[in-house]
Amino acid sequence: MHLFTYLMITVTHPMKGKILVLAVGVFILVSSHLAEAQQTAKAMPRLGFITSSGAPGDPSPIFDAFRQGLRDLGYVDGKNIIIVHRYAEGRLDRMPPFVHELVQQKVDVIVAGSNVVIRAAKKATKTIPVVMISSVDPVVAGYVESFAHPGGNITGLAWLLRDLSAKRVELLKEVLPKMSRVAILWDADGPGPAVAFKEYEAAARAFKLELHSFEVRGPNPDLAGAFQAAKTARAEALIVVGNPLMGQHAREVFKFTIKNRLPSMTEGTRYVEAGGLMFYGPNQADLYRRAASYVVEILKGAKPADLPVQLPAKFEIFINLKTAQQLGLVIPKHVLLRADQVIK
């Protein structure tokens, strides 16, 4: 506005023609850059990404893997794409409002790595593409019509963690061949853990194990009470069902497992890094890298309804030997040889 006023003044002074020409040039140059910046900002795709656990500044391997996947395909956050990142800090109640916020902002794609986020997104929008990383069967859950033809605005990858429940119990049995009683710790408010409990129940029956269920609820789970109950039940091992609440309280959970000398089987590498004994499941970083390719395909014009849902390509075993030593447990050599990573 000040520049425009100055130009009007210079018109009344013919002796300052050169200044007028210079001022007009500056005005045109500034206007051109402003218009270009506005067009670039408007054209730059915006992605919504909700991290279920952790807070701003916390390390997030899955988010780093996702960004690396985008970079590998030529998309860099802040350069030719904008990632609107929100942190739920392990609280399920924060996720639907975050989804609503992203929908209101009209982001181009929502990346949903939690069942709570996927369900909220399915309810909130029928038009914004959603790339899911689902831990349950997305067809059974009602997220998509089929793996080959998702049919709506949701596609992505499915961990199918529940199908691995029996294999986790089997691996735990290999490490503890005399085990007869096992406890399961899960978030009773989470949709994924509710499915998990039924799967582990079936697996325990198949291995003739006595299963004890210990439910907790957020945001401040009574972990001390749960572990006291597990001790009373004389549980010989613990299965920790992964979800945002457990992720947020992981270190506290595994302090209790060590204190109570309970070997643990977990559903994520982060739990082993926090002190859990073992993990078996899909490579999560690989899943999030592959999720980036869905985002890029959609940004280039593909429709989620036409992009088949994919399954994990890599599975891995993590073992925390430091935790094993604290528990006074010797991991059988044949199990160690199968481990993809051993934490010492």
Side-chain angles (χ1 to χ4, degrees):
M1 185 67 183
H2 295 298
L3 179 58
F4 182 73
T5 303
Y6 173 72
L7 291 176
M8 293 300 292
I9 293 171
T10 56
V11 171
T12 63
H13 296 279
M15 295 299 292
K16 298 179 181 179
K18 291 183 179 180
I19 297 175
L20 174 61
V21 172
L22 178 61
V24 170
V26 171
F27 178 75
I28 292 172
L29 184 63
V30 170
S31 299
S32 175
H33 280 300
L34 285 173
E36 184 179 346
Q38 289 173 349
Q39 288 175 358
T40 301
K42 185 178 181 180
M44 197 179 295
R46 292 162 56 84
L47 310 181
F49 191 106
I50 299 173
T51 299
S52 58
S53 300
D58 290 348
S60 177
I62 59 172
F63 181 60
D64 291 342
F66 174 71
R67 286 196 302 181
Q68 184 59 54
L70 287 176
R71 283 195 291 268
D72 292 343
L73 296 169
Y75 287 80
V76 179
D77 186 18
K79 183 178 180 181
N80 56 358
I81 200 167
I82 295 173
I83 301 178
V84 183
H85 198 174
R86 296 292 180 264
Y87 300 81
E89 300 183 28
R91 290 182 53 179
L92 302 183
D93 60 320
R94 288 186 177 180
M95 297 181 195
F98 281 150
V99 170
H100 181 72
E101 177 192 347
L102 296 174
V103 171
Q104 290 295 107
Q105 290 186 23
K106 297 182 180 179
V107 296
D108 295 277
V109 183
I110 295 173
V111 180
S114 159
N115 288 300
V116 176
V117 175
I118 300 169
R119 290 185 179 191
K122 183 174 177 61
K123 183 177 180 180
T125 178
K126 302 297 182 187
T127 55
I128 297 176
V130 177
V131 174
M132 67 176 177
I133 303 94
S134 173
S135 65
V136 299
D137 186 321
V139 178
V140 174
Y143 303 154
V144 298
E145 293 176 8
S146 72
F147 279 77
H149 303 286
N153 63 317
I154 300 176
T155 188
L157 300 111
W159 297 20
L160 295 182
L161 283 179
R162 307 283 70 86
D163 287 357
L164 302 175
S165 300
K167 291 190 177 293
R168 291 197 184 95
V169 174
E170 181 182 1
L171 183 58
L172 197 54
K173 187 72 173 171
E174 285 186 58
V175 174
L176 302 165
K178 295 182 180 180
M179 178 180 69
S180 61
R181 291 181 297 276
V182 63
I184 180 168
L185 182 69
W186 58 292
D187 175 10
D189 292 331
V195 177
F197 175 71
K198 295 179 182 178
E199 294 291 337
Y200 282 116
E201 221 177 10
R205 282 196 301 270
F207 285 95
K208 295 180 171 56
L209 296 173
E210 188 179 305
L211 181 69
H212 295 270
S213 172
F214 300 106
E215 305 171 16
V216 292
R217 287 180 165 83
N220 300 305
D222 181 13
L223 295 173
F227 277 92
Q228 182 57 50
K231 184 177 180 179
T232 301
R234 294 181 297 137
E236 297 163 296
L238 179 73
I239 296 168
V240 179
V241 180
N243 89 321
L245 179 68
M246 291 301 173
Q248 194 69 13
H249 293 274
R251 296 200 177 277
E252 187 181 358
V253 167
F254 296 112
K255 281 181 182 178
F256 276 113
T257 61
I258 292 170
K259 179 181 177 181
N260 290 275
R261 302 182 71 80
L262 275 174
S264 55
M265 171 59 72
T266 72
E267 294 188 348
T269 57
R270 60 180 171 175
Y271 299 115
V272 176
E273 291 163 356
L277 179 63
M278 292 187 294
F279 156 76
Y280 174 69
N283 183 306
Q284 295 170 43
D286 181 60
L287 288 172
Y288 277 84
R289 276 192 296 267
R290 290 166 63 194
S293 67
Y294 276 91
V295 171
V296 172
E297 287 293 316
I298 290 169
L299 293 179
K300 289 182 176 180
K303 295 180 180 179
D306 301 326
L307 296 175
V309 175
Q310 297 180 21
L311 297 175
K314 298 179 181 179
F315 294 85
E316 54 192 4
I317 297 173
F318 275 40
I319 296 174
N320 191 324
L321 274 187
K322 182 179 177 182
T323 296
Q325 290 167 357
Q326 290 174 309
L327 294 170
L329 182 66
V330 177
I331 304 295
K333 187 174 181 179
H334 73 277
V335 175
L336 280 175
L337 290 174
R338 287 155 53 196
D340 296 272
Q341 186 169 327
V342 175
I343 299 173
K344 297 180 180 179

